[in-house]
Amino acid sequence: MAAIKAPPVDHNAALEFLLNRRSSHQLMGPGPGDEELALMLQVALRTPDFGHLHPYRFLAARGDGLERLGLAMQRAAKAAGKPEKIVARAPGMPQRAPLVIVVVATPRSDKIVPESDQLLCAACTVLMLQLAARSLGYGGIWRSGWMMYDQGFHRELGLVEREQIVGFLYLGTPAAADEEAPQPANPFDYLSWI
Ligand SMILES: Cc1cc2nc3c(=O)[nH]c(=O)nc-3n(C[C@H](O)[C@H](O)[C@H](O)COP(=O)(O)O)c2cc1C
């Protein structure tokens, strides 16, 4: 049987893109517009997905939504008894980017696909979104933090039982040039053969 090859891509450009990927900690406007967001979501929907269950959903905030998200974080911080410093800082957290996407895993019982597979799938959509944004010229950073695991914050966002947040993806225009991507001296240090 003839070998089946993946569709042709510009391998050098794709590899260079992946090898030099960086996160952007400092972000400013503009962030991705609706058409760009649609493309990014299309890319996210191409995440490897056992059973095509699409075990995720995305909550996006920009403009006033960032304010609402920050206030939800603050209410959750208060309810969780966090130190005053964290409560005071909460409203400003989402303001660090013009677009914040909260990625929610929505695992369900399935005879074939374990919930952990579904969680991993949802987590991979964060990276797919980040890579798609970067390919459109935007910077981003995948953040977590205590809110990710806080039931009160989950309720603030309307998450239902079993849903989990797998990341806060902050997106916008990088405010600083990328630092050079660190390359491991020997990538084989991370590999052993079975
Ligand atoms: C699940 C997950 C959670 C993360 N949470 C944070 C975070 O809360 N704050 C942060 O500064 N970086 C966080 N990071 C790391 C950044 O996204 C980023 O990878 C790191 O700053 C290294 O930069 P680089 O991607 O350019 O190598 C997280 C990464 C992952 C995968």
Side-chain angles (χ1 to χ4, degrees):
M1 196 166 68
I4 299 169
K5 292 186 78 177
V9 288
D10 180 342
H11 290 288
N12 288 337
L15 276 173
E16 197 175 318
F17 173 77
L18 291 170
L19 284 168
N20 293 303
R21 184 207 64 77
R22 290 301 329 244
S23 301
S24 307
H25 290 252
Q26 309 285 341
L27 296 162
M28 57 187 191
D34 283 348
E35 277 181 30
E36 292 163 319
L37 189 54
L39 275 170
M40 289 161 49
L41 290 168
Q42 255 179 280
V43 171
L45 288 159
R46 287 302 315 122
T47 298
D49 180 358
F50 193 6
H52 295 114
L53 298 175
H54 298 299
Y56 44 75
R57 61 191 181 99
F58 307 104
L59 301 170
R62 63 180 167 208
D64 292 351
L66 294 172
E67 228 167 278
R68 286 190 288 275
L69 182 60
L71 291 173
M73 288 178 175
Q74 188 173 50
R75 284 192 297 273
K78 270 188 199 156
K82 296 286 174 193
E84 184 47 41
K85 204 170 97 184
I86 290 182
V87 173
R89 216 171 47 193
M93 293 190 37
Q95 302 291 343
R96 292 175 291 177
L99 175 66
V100 176
I101 301 179
V102 185
V103 180
V104 180
T106 60
R108 70 203 75 157
S109 294
D110 187 271
K111 283 200 184 88
I112 297 170
V113 187
E115 284 194 31
S116 53
D117 284 21
Q118 298 176 50
L119 200 66
L120 294 170
C121 170
C124 287
T125 68
V126 185
L127 183 59
M128 290 290 265
L129 284 170
Q130 189 177 359
L131 289 173
R134 190 169 164 97
S135 74
L136 291 166
Y138 295 98
I141 180 161
W142 181 346
R143 293 186 185 275
S144 49
W146 62 269
M147 308 81 70
M148 202 153 113
Y149 311 100
D150 184 77
Q151 293 301 312
F153 183 65
H154 287 190
R155 280 193 292 278
E156 287 281 350
L157 293 190
L159 268 62
V160 298
E161 214 191 326
R162 288 215 288 207
E163 287 190 327
Q164 291 180 55
I165 298 173
V166 291
F168 298 92
L169 185 59
Y170 284 61
L171 295 164
T173 300
D178 281 347
E179 281 176 32
E180 208 177 308
Q183 306 292 343
N186 182 359
F188 281 102
D189 287 348
Y190 296 87
L191 178 88
S192 32
W193 294 101
I194 295 163

Short mmCIF file of all heavy atoms in Angstrom, two decimals, residues 41-69:
data_model
loop_
_atom_site.label_atom_id
_atom_site.label_comp_id
_atom_site.label_asym_id
_atom_site.label_seq_id
_atom_site.Cartn_x
_atom_site.Cartn_y
_atom_site.Cartn_z
N LEU A 41 -11.39 29.80 17.17
CA LEU A 41 -12.29 28.75 17.67
C LEU A 41 -12.32 27.56 16.73
O LEU A 41 -12.36 26.40 17.16
CB LEU A 41 -13.70 29.33 17.87
CG LEU A 41 -13.82 30.33 19.03
CD1 LEU A 41 -15.15 31.07 18.97
CD2 LEU A 41 -13.66 29.64 20.39
N GLN A 42 -12.27 27.85 15.42
CA GLN A 42 -12.23 26.75 14.44
C GLN A 42 -11.00 25.88 14.67
O GLN A 42 -11.08 24.66 14.59
CB GLN A 42 -12.16 27.34 13.02
CG GLN A 42 -13.45 27.26 12.25
CD GLN A 42 -13.27 27.88 10.88
OE1 GLN A 42 -13.32 29.10 10.76
NE2 GLN A 42 -13.06 27.06 9.87
N VAL A 43 -9.88 26.56 14.96
CA VAL A 43 -8.65 25.81 15.23
C VAL A 43 -8.82 24.98 16.51
O VAL A 43 -8.47 23.79 16.56
CB VAL A 43 -7.43 26.76 15.35
CG1 VAL A 43 -6.20 26.03 15.86
CG2 VAL A 43 -7.14 27.41 14.01
N ALA A 44 -9.39 25.60 17.54
CA ALA A 44 -9.59 24.89 18.81
C ALA A 44 -10.47 23.66 18.61
O ALA A 44 -10.25 22.60 19.21
CB ALA A 44 -10.22 25.81 19.84
N LEU A 45 -11.44 23.79 17.72
CA LEU A 45 -12.35 22.66 17.46
C LEU A 45 -11.66 21.54 16.69
O LEU A 45 -12.25 20.47 16.50
CB LEU A 45 -13.59 23.16 16.70
CG LEU A 45 -14.54 23.98 17.58
CD1 LEU A 45 -15.45 24.87 16.75
CD2 LEU A 45 -15.39 23.06 18.46
N ARG A 46 -10.43 21.79 16.22
CA ARG A 46 -9.64 20.75 15.56
C ARG A 46 -8.73 20.02 16.56
O ARG A 46 -7.87 19.24 16.17
CB ARG A 46 -8.80 21.33 14.42
CG ARG A 46 -9.57 21.74 13.17
CD ARG A 46 -10.38 20.57 12.55
NE ARG A 46 -9.60 19.35 12.47
CZ ARG A 46 -9.96 18.17 13.04
NH1 ARG A 46 -11.07 18.06 13.73
NH2 ARG A 46 -9.18 17.12 12.92
N THR A 47 -8.89 20.29 17.82
CA THR A 47 -8.12 19.59 18.85
C THR A 47 -8.42 18.10 18.79
O THR A 47 -9.59 17.72 18.62
CB THR A 47 -8.50 20.15 20.24
OG1 THR A 47 -8.15 21.53 20.28
CG2 THR A 47 -7.77 19.41 21.35
N PRO A 48 -7.40 17.25 18.91
CA PRO A 48 -7.68 15.81 18.96
C PRO A 48 -8.74 15.51 20.03
O PRO A 48 -8.65 16.02 21.15
CB PRO A 48 -6.32 15.21 19.35
CG PRO A 48 -5.32 16.20 18.85
CD PRO A 48 -5.98 17.55 19.02
N ASP A 49 -9.71 14.72 19.65
CA ASP A 49 -10.92 14.61 20.48
C ASP A 49 -11.51 13.20 20.30
O ASP A 49 -12.20 12.95 19.32
CB ASP A 49 -11.90 15.70 20.00
CG ASP A 49 -13.21 15.71 20.78
OD1 ASP A 49 -13.40 14.87 21.66
OD2 ASP A 49 -14.05 16.58 20.45
N PHE A 50 -11.19 12.34 21.24
CA PHE A 50 -11.66 10.94 21.21
C PHE A 50 -13.19 10.94 21.23
O PHE A 50 -13.81 11.47 22.16
CB PHE A 50 -11.10 10.24 22.45
CG PHE A 50 -11.23 8.73 22.44
CD1 PHE A 50 -11.68 8.03 21.35
CD2 PHE A 50 -10.86 8.01 23.58
CE1 PHE A 50 -11.77 6.65 21.36
CE2 PHE A 50 -10.95 6.63 23.61
CZ PHE A 50 -11.41 5.95 22.49
N GLY A 51 -13.78 10.35 20.20
CA GLY A 51 -15.24 10.26 20.15
C GLY A 51 -15.92 11.54 19.69
O GLY A 51 -17.13 11.61 19.65
N HIS A 52 -15.11 12.54 19.36
CA HIS A 52 -15.66 13.84 18.94
C HIS A 52 -16.77 14.30 19.90
O HIS A 52 -17.86 14.67 19.49
CB HIS A 52 -16.17 13.78 17.49
CG HIS A 52 -15.06 13.55 16.52
ND1 HIS A 52 -14.94 12.40 15.78
CD2 HIS A 52 -13.96 14.28 16.23
CE1 HIS A 52 -13.84 12.45 15.06
NE2 HIS A 52 -13.22 13.58 15.33
N LEU A 53 -16.42 14.31 21.17
CA LEU A 53 -17.41 14.71 22.18
C LEU A 53 -17.42 16.22 22.41
O LEU A 53 -18.30 16.74 23.09
CB LEU A 53 -17.09 14.00 23.51
CG LEU A 53 -17.17 12.47 23.48
CD1 LEU A 53 -16.72 11.89 24.83
CD2 LEU A 53 -18.58 12.00 23.16
N HIS A 54 -16.39 16.90 21.89
CA HIS A 54 -16.24 18.35 22.15
C HIS A 54 -16.46 18.63 23.64
O HIS A 54 -17.39 19.36 24.02
CB HIS A 54 -17.22 19.17 21.30
CG HIS A 54 -16.98 19.02 19.83
ND1 HIS A 54 -15.80 19.39 19.21
CD2 HIS A 54 -17.75 18.51 18.85
CE1 HIS A 54 -15.86 19.11 17.93
NE2 HIS A 54 -17.03 18.57 17.68
N PRO A 55 -15.60 18.07 24.50
CA PRO A 55 -15.84 18.18 25.95
C PRO A 55 -15.32 19.49 26.55
O PRO A 55 -14.53 19.49 27.49
CB PRO A 55 -15.08 16.98 26.49
CG PRO A 55 -13.94 16.82 25.52
CD PRO A 55 -14.42 17.28 24.18
N TYR A 56 -15.76 20.59 25.95
CA TYR A 56 -15.26 21.90 26.40
C TYR A 56 -16.24 22.98 25.96
O TYR A 56 -17.07 22.78 25.08
CB TYR A 56 -13.88 22.19 25.80
CG TYR A 56 -13.77 21.85 24.34
CD1 TYR A 56 -14.36 22.65 23.37
CD2 TYR A 56 -13.12 20.69 23.92
CE1 TYR A 56 -14.29 22.33 22.02
CE2 TYR A 56 -13.04 20.34 22.57
CZ TYR A 56 -13.63 21.17 21.63
OH TYR A 56 -13.57 20.84 20.30
N ARG A 57 -16.12 24.11 26.64
CA ARG A 57 -16.79 25.32 26.17
C ARG A 57 -15.94 26.51 26.59
O ARG A 57 -15.08 26.40 27.47
CB ARG A 57 -18.23 25.42 26.69
CG ARG A 57 -18.39 25.48 28.19
CD ARG A 57 -19.86 25.31 28.57
NE ARG A 57 -20.07 25.40 30.01
CZ ARG A 57 -20.49 26.49 30.63
NH1 ARG A 57 -20.71 27.61 29.96
NH2 ARG A 57 -20.68 26.48 31.95
N PHE A 58 -16.19 27.64 25.93
CA PHE A 58 -15.33 28.80 26.12
C PHE A 58 -16.16 29.99 26.60
O PHE A 58 -17.22 30.27 26.03
CB PHE A 58 -14.65 29.15 24.78
CG PHE A 58 -13.93 28.00 24.16
CD1 PHE A 58 -14.48 27.33 23.07
CD2 PHE A 58 -12.73 27.54 24.67
CE1 PHE A 58 -13.84 26.23 22.49
CE2 PHE A 58 -12.08 26.44 24.12
CZ PHE A 58 -12.63 25.78 23.02
N LEU A 59 -15.67 30.64 27.63
CA LEU A 59 -16.32 31.86 28.12
C LEU A 59 -15.35 33.01 27.84
O LEU A 59 -14.22 32.99 28.34
CB LEU A 59 -16.57 31.75 29.63
CG LEU A 59 -17.46 30.58 30.09
CD1 LEU A 59 -17.43 30.44 31.61
CD2 LEU A 59 -18.87 30.78 29.59
N ALA A 60 -15.79 33.95 27.03
CA ALA A 60 -14.87 35.02 26.62
C ALA A 60 -15.28 36.34 27.27
O ALA A 60 -16.47 36.59 27.50
CB ALA A 60 -14.88 35.15 25.11
N ALA A 61 -14.29 37.16 27.55
CA ALA A 61 -14.56 38.49 28.13
C ALA A 61 -13.69 39.53 27.45
O ALA A 61 -12.49 39.32 27.24
CB ALA A 61 -14.28 38.47 29.63
N ARG A 62 -14.33 40.61 27.07
CA ARG A 62 -13.58 41.81 26.65
C ARG A 62 -14.42 43.02 27.00
O ARG A 62 -15.62 42.88 27.27
CB ARG A 62 -13.21 41.74 25.17
CG ARG A 62 -14.35 41.72 24.21
CD ARG A 62 -13.80 41.67 22.77
NE ARG A 62 -14.84 41.35 21.82
CZ ARG A 62 -14.64 40.72 20.67
NH1 ARG A 62 -13.43 40.31 20.34
NH2 ARG A 62 -15.63 40.49 19.85
N GLY A 63 -13.83 44.19 27.04
CA GLY A 63 -14.58 45.40 27.41
C GLY A 63 -15.20 45.26 28.79
O GLY A 63 -14.53 44.89 29.77
N ASP A 64 -16.52 45.51 28.85
CA ASP A 64 -17.24 45.43 30.14
C ASP A 64 -17.15 44.04 30.74
O ASP A 64 -17.25 43.86 31.96
CB ASP A 64 -18.73 45.75 29.95
CG ASP A 64 -18.95 47.20 29.57
OD1 ASP A 64 -17.96 47.96 29.64
OD2 ASP A 64 -20.08 47.55 29.19
N GLY A 65 -17.04 43.05 29.87
CA GLY A 65 -16.96 41.66 30.33
C GLY A 65 -15.75 41.43 31.23
O GLY A 65 -15.80 40.62 32.17
N LEU A 66 -14.66 42.15 30.94
CA LEU A 66 -13.46 42.01 31.78
C LEU A 66 -13.75 42.52 33.19
O LEU A 66 -13.27 41.97 34.18
CB LEU A 66 -12.29 42.77 31.17
CG LEU A 66 -11.78 42.24 29.82
CD1 LEU A 66 -10.75 43.19 29.23
CD2 LEU A 66 -11.18 40.84 29.98
N GLU A 67 -14.55 43.61 33.23
CA GLU A 67 -14.93 44.16 34.54
C GLU A 67 -15.80 43.14 35.30
O GLU A 67 -15.59 42.90 36.49
CB GLU A 67 -15.75 45.42 34.31
CG GLU A 67 -15.33 46.59 35.14
CD GLU A 67 -15.98 47.86 34.61
OE1 GLU A 67 -15.46 48.42 33.63
OE2 GLU A 67 -17.02 48.22 35.17
N ARG A 68 -16.78 42.57 34.57
CA ARG A 68 -17.66 41.58 35.22
C ARG A 68 -16.85 40.38 35.71
O ARG A 68 -17.07 39.87 36.81
CB ARG A 68 -18.76 41.12 34.24
CG ARG A 68 -19.83 42.17 34.01
CD ARG A 68 -21.01 41.60 33.23
NE ARG A 68 -20.70 41.36 31.83
CZ ARG A 68 -20.77 42.29 30.87
NH1 ARG A 68 -21.14 43.53 31.17
NH2 ARG A 68 -20.47 42.00 29.62
N LEU A 69 -15.89 39.96 34.89
CA LEU A 69 -15.06 38.80 35.28
C LEU A 69 -14.24 39.14 36.53
O LEU A 69 -14.14 38.33 37.47
CB LEU A 69 -14.14 38.40 34.11
CG LEU A 69 -13.24 37.20 34.32
CD1 LEU A 69 -14.05 35.93 34.62
CD2 LEU A 69 -12.36 36.95 33.07
#
